[in-house]
Amino acid sequence: MTHRDATPSHDASPDRTEQDLQEALAALAGGVHAAPDAYRTARGEWLRRERRRRLVLAVLIAVVFALATLIGLWVLNQTPAHPGVIFSNTGTNTTASLPRPHP
């Protein structure tokens, strides 16, 4: 058998090719038999995956929120070693930093 014998000729009409394809697909589809509860099984598996995905997402959101809260509280709880400039009150001058106009 040569390569020419195995390949269809180029002068085949599109209608003939379409008909051959329809027959082949019909024969293939005719041999497929679905299980009686295939839809119920596939839907159950899909719903189970959907619930698992939502649960994992909820746990991930809770962990990120808790971690952000803990980091924020830790940062706010850190006190500096020196008292700071604004409220140091170490100067002997007790007047305001800006002069106030007297009426």
Side-chain angles (χ1 to χ4, degrees), residues 12-85:
S13 68
D15 294 333
R16 175 75 179 144
T17 305
E18 185 177 343
Q19 183 181 5
D20 289 344
L21 183 60
Q22 284 179 348
E23 289 174 2
L25 290 175
L28 182 65
V32 175
H33 299 289
D37 62 342
Y39 175 75
R40 185 180 304 130
T41 304
R43 187 172 187 272
E45 289 176 6
W46 181 81
L47 289 174
R48 194 170 22 257
R49 284 193 304 263
E50 182 73 20
R51 280 191 303 267
R52 183 175 180 202
R53 188 177 70 211
R54 288 184 184 194
L55 180 65
V56 166
L57 183 62
V59 168
L60 183 64
I61 288 171
V63 166
V64 168
F65 180 77
L67 188 62
T69 302
L70 289 174
I71 289 173
L73 289 173
W74 177 75
V75 167
L76 288 174
N77 197 28
Q78 298 298 313
T79 56
H82 51 81
V85 180

